[in-house]
Amino acid sequence: MSASTDTALSATSPDRATLRRLLDAPHEEVRDKVRERLCDLELPPTAERAAMDHATYREQVLSWARQLSAGRATGLGFPTEYGGGGDFTGSLAAFETLAMGDLSLLVKSGVQFGLFAGAIHQLGTTHHHERYLPDALTLELPGCFAMTETGHGSNVQALETTATYDPDADQLVIHTPTRSGRKDYIGNAAEHGRLAVVFAQLEVGGEGHGVHAILVPIRDAAGRARPGVTIEDCGPKAGLNGVDNGRLAFGQVRVPREALLDRFGRITEDGEYESPIEDDDRRFFTMLGTLVQGRVSIAGAGGTAAKTALAIAVRYAERRRQFGPPGTDDEVLLLDYRAHQRRLLPRLARSYALHAVQQELVAWMGESFGPDSDPFDDRRELEAAAAGVKVAATWHATDTIQTCREACGGAGYLAENQLTMLRADTDVFATFEGDNTVLLQLVAKGLLTGYRDQFGDLDPLGMVRFVAEGVWDTVVEKTSARQLVERLVDAVPTRDDDAGLLDREYQVELLRWREEHLLAGAARRLKRGIDDGADPFEVFNDCQDHVLTAARAQIERRLLEAFDGVVRRCEDMQTREVLDRLCSLHALAEIERDRGWFQEHGRLSGERSKSIITTVNRLCEQLRPHAGALVDGFGIPEQLLDAEILGAG
Amino acid sequence: MSASTDTALSATSPDRATLRRLLDAPHEEVRDKVRERLCDLELPPTAERAAMDHATYREQVLSWARQLSAGRATGLGFPTEYGGGGDFTGSLAAFETLAMGDLSLLVKSGVQFGLFAGAIHQLGTTHHHERYLPDALTLELPGCFAMTETGHGSNVQALETTATYDPDADQLVIHTPTRSGRKDYIGNAAEHGRLAVVFAQLEVGGEGHGVHAILVPIRDAAGRARPGVTIEDCGPKAGLNGVDNGRLAFGQVRVPREALLDRFGRITEDGEYESPIEDDDRRFFTMLGTLVQGRVSIAGAGGTAAKTALAIAVRYAERRRQFGPPGTDDEVLLLDYRAHQRRLLPRLARSYALHAVQQELVAWMGESFGPDSDPFDDRRELEAAAAGVKVAATWHATDTIQTCREACGGAGYLAENQLTMLRADTDVFATFEGDNTVLLQLVAKGLLTGYRDQFGDLDPLGMVRFVAEGVWDTVVEKTSARQLVERLVDAVPTRDDDAGLLDREYQVELLRWREEHLLAGAARRLKRGIDDGADPFEVFNDCQDHVLTAARAQIERRLLEAFDGVVRRCEDMQTREVLDRLCSLHALAEIERDRGWFQEHGRLSGERSKSIITTVNRLCEQLRPHAGALVDGFGIPEQLLDAEILGAG
């Protein structure tokens, strides 16, 4: 056991208000307003929402969303001239906080204000903004973001829906050629949507220009489907049943030329296509890039849902007893059991790490999308970072909520204790706004290309193509891989003493070394495959796991550095001491999880690896008395911690 | 890469009929009958069941259960004189197969026929059997198994409900003293149950005799709660909403003396308590032991649900394409991606392993509960094995169904594709019939005590007490641990060549070595703690993770040995070859998962550890063409594979 882990933590708990300020910064006011608004809605108890028939629930969610928009809580990120609040980063923090309430309401709002209005704002030009944004922001005009098709979710470049320009009528003809080309899983489509942003292959004058977004009315004011538009209901889902997901198919539906959202590509009055970006791929990814806020939003929401679950499970574990010394009636609190600490506390630590990286990401978004930003800026590094955090946060939500459910036993399975609904509603977060596995590939590709070649697409083979174009040199240059490896061999000694496990520099160096090593190794394998003349798909596929692991390694390093930043920003020494241990727990739990790899690569001896396990145990024990304060720091209003098991025993 | 893994598998697929016979044995007929019965029910599509309001769903499930019982499909395990089928092991195979249908129906049947009728059968005597079993088996008399209380689920010995004998009235008085003493999560309680088997602390003549089971009427024929009985509805749950779980509280409710299920303890006409088992603890665990079939049943059902999910996800991955070589329209099938193979195929292999160990367990149950069995036999080894398989199978279900859901993307989130409902319905399997973590402790305790001391309870401190009583010697004697460790150091060389990874003996030896090493280490730590005079709870708690890991290690060794047995029983060489690889994939995926531990303990060098990863990849690649046949081998009727994504594209 490390000498330093033996140092007991001070008996006094960390200061809850300090924790909350640290986590809420720099959007304390916005977050508090959202908390208030949510409490004002007086949401019915979870059990009631869980049992609501879906039609009623959908109407209820629409009405809550209208209440929020009436209070101008939903247009925060939009320009004031269209009824917005002009606070872009604030709107991201607001969305993150909104996830403390009903998650169908969250997603309905995300569809309407983030995706639908966001696409009009980002992909359209002034005449679209003026005509549609005010009504979109008040929910007078409910809309859809119709990108995904039955046959294509991740590979959006291969969408089948077509938008063909008819010069005689000066119209665009929207058409769904096959069953797999139906727009699928589209929020707001089954019941409420009137206008849809439809992504389709644009053809002008017989020439294809790739995927563009077009505004297509799908229902009239009375709610009837427009001629040529076929609408199906996706039916019940695992969760989010207050959102009306549906399918859209278009049979030669005509819209005026102006319906094209034309910021990045327009059709002139003469029927010519023109775009400020010549390359089809590059244009497509510039368009997609403007939508990165969806991923950032979902990452934040997933993080919040995990926090709610932890708050419930930790508090329950502080009151529920189970077994005890024989001959007495005293039973032991669940949270006093090591196995229970092991289930909850490393996940609590990770929640703090994710919160920290999310704060960084939001600030970065502010710089990149601020008033002075250039839409043609290269945002690929930000996009890759957002993808990585989205992956980490949403899988963390799935894993953590599930663990909390099990940690609450049979009570966790009852809707009245909120965990079941959190679990079911967030399940799809790992899939929508980019499938997590595909997003990991995007992260990896960013790493491998050093963000400097042509615009990155989601196609895995693109990665191999980059390699063929000499990426190996890029990687070596970027990371100075070989040299670095040697440097790190010295910097991270394989020592058998246990000193220094709590040293933040040591922890970060281990994660950094893993990242660089995996990256250099993946690049080398790809390069070798191509040099050997192997089939590019085979080359990629043979490395796929390696490549995904490299992406994860980068995310983990980012998480740790971000958490460390929060620790450093904490000025209350008592609180900081606890956060510092929590950060070590986060770091060592990750190193413990991957200790097979670290041993394989000579970074940990067997003995040192074992002492990491011991140290994780010790940290759990030390942090256990502070667990309650740490979940209180999340600032979830009591009213929203809707769990019967936390009521009077 | 191992030379032997390079050997390509024969191109022809394994024989589906052979696979199915292997898996269905020795209950082919029973399983086919249950398949037929399920198809005859013509269950509505999953999406419809998912959206049904809960009241309707509950009535629907009751009516299906009645149809099954009218066809005598549900009383298979009971004696023929009461309307049963007299085929105990057949009934376990039937329940496993029943999990191919609606899981609310499964659990409703489990409550009525397994728990309620099973308790009357196992804990009652002839007069109870004659009076209640016939009606219980036809569902004329719906009943409850009222054991769990709000405050006590795992520590059943500490239940609060009391049953006090009143000699003047010759009655038992059933009483719920506190809110935490309410019976909770009780299936059949909220709506349909009329009679309940209530577990309560029995007091006769002022003396406590521990927990006993008493038959207490809770509703009259018209469905009204009986005087003194308070019934609450547990409300909506994550899943299983066709089952009416409720809470029961008793206010001095009086029942005749004969209501005591008196096989293991009775009250004489003179008002004296007598029992064939003197020790209260031992009597209690003998009673509980008769209920082991519940755990075996849930293990089988969890396994089946995971198979259904795999069948859907594998078939979908064989038809859905995503991305492809640039410049062509050909996209690649999901199942051709290594990452996708990695998600599905090791879990498919594990499903086979679990099926194999379940077959063994059912046969063992037949021996132990057969017509010639003695109820006072020591069944602790069987109980521990059942607990272990229950833990492995139910966590496998949770993990596998979740993975399959994600592997089907957005489609996986729609109820119409069945995965969401499988996931939600099986979620509680990790909790009911014994919380998985607590059951792991039971397994560990069995290992540590060599099944030979006093009857094992679930109390973790009991484990420490055993140690204080000299368990270390028992363990050493049982495993010859020290000697064994030395022998194995020779037997499992740390070699750097890759030969032999596919050698089954090598795989089994690795798992066996881990099991013995963990067990001996845990015993040593417990012993040392006690010898040092430490607080027993601290001693236990400090080892809890170690102890749970030892339990898991034993289960894993059992799984592999059982799977190997199936491979050996396969007489079709083509099929056997595939199964043999599948078994290696199962073994190596487990070793890969825990390669950190194997390296720490000098059982794998870094190089060999890496080559295990490579071999797992290679095996996935080799087995990929056979994945479809392997899921077909599960024999799930097409009609029950209710997933729109498998329909016409």
Side-chain angles (χ1 to χ4, degrees), chain A residues 326-403:
Chain A
T328 78
D329 282 344
D330 296 341
E331 290 181 289
V332 176
L333 288 170
L334 286 182
L335 200 53
D336 286 329
Y337 284 99
R338 168 157 303 159
H340 215 81
Q341 294 168 6
R342 275 267 184 182
R343 290 161 96 172
L344 298 182
L345 300 186
R347 290 178 172 91
L348 174 56
R350 192 170 175 82
S351 273
Y352 269 80
L354 277 160
H355 187 98
V357 85
Q358 179 78 14
Q359 283 176 316
E360 290 187 358
L361 196 59
V362 168
W364 191 354
M365 289 288 288
E367 288 161 27
S368 192
F369 286 87
D372 307 325
S373 69
D374 176 347
F376 300 98
D377 265 358
D378 183 346
R379 290 178 179 138
R380 282 165 297 169
E381 195 168 352
L382 171 58
E383 286 165 31
V389 176
K390 189 267 185 185
V391 171
T394 55
W395 269 335
H396 172 69
T398 299
D399 164 68
T400 297
I401 302 168
Q402 180 64 26
T403 302

Side-chain angles (χ1 to χ4, degrees), chain A residues 19 22-23 352-353 355-357 359-360 559-571 576 579-580 583:
Chain A
L19 284 172
L22 265 173
L23 299 185
Y352 269 80
H355 187 98
V357 85
Q359 283 176 316
E360 290 187 358
L559 275 172
L560 178 55
E561 286 181 344
F563 194 170
D564 185 52
V566 169
V567 175
R568 286 170 196 271
R569 286 201 297 282
C570 180
E571 291 174 1
R576 180 170 171 161
L579 283 179
D580 185 52
C583 186

Side-chain angles (χ1 to χ4, degrees), chain A residues 152 155 236 331 336 338-339 395 402 405-406 413 415 423-424 427 431 541-542 544 595-596 599-600 609, chain B residues 152 155 236 331 336 338-339 395 402 405-406 413 415 423-424 427 431 541-542 544 595-596 599-600 609:
Chain A
H152 288 95
N155 187 7
E331 290 181 289
D336 286 329
R338 168 157 303 159
W395 269 335
Q402 180 64 26
R405 183 325 261 155
E406 292 182 25
Y413 195 65
R423 179 69 195 79
D427 191 77
T431 299
N541 210 26
D542 202 51
Q544 191 182 17
R595 64 199 211 275
Q599 289 180 79
E600 278 161 7
S609 182
Chain B
H152 289 94
N155 186 6
E331 292 182 288
D336 286 329
R338 167 157 304 159
W395 269 335
Q402 180 63 26
R405 186 320 266 158
E406 292 182 25
Y413 195 65
R423 178 70 195 77
D427 191 78
T431 299
N541 210 27
D542 202 50
Q544 190 182 17
R595 64 199 210 274
Q599 289 179 79
E600 279 160 7
S609 182

Side-chain angles (χ1 to χ4, degrees), chain B residues 581-602:
Chain B
R581 294 289 164 96
L582 193 69
C583 186
S584 280
L585 175 59
H586 167 68
L588 295 178
E590 166 60 17
I591 294 165
E592 181 191 46
R593 189 194 61 74
D594 207 18
R595 64 199 210 274
W597 190 91
F598 286 108
Q599 289 179 79
E600 279 160 7
H601 294 82

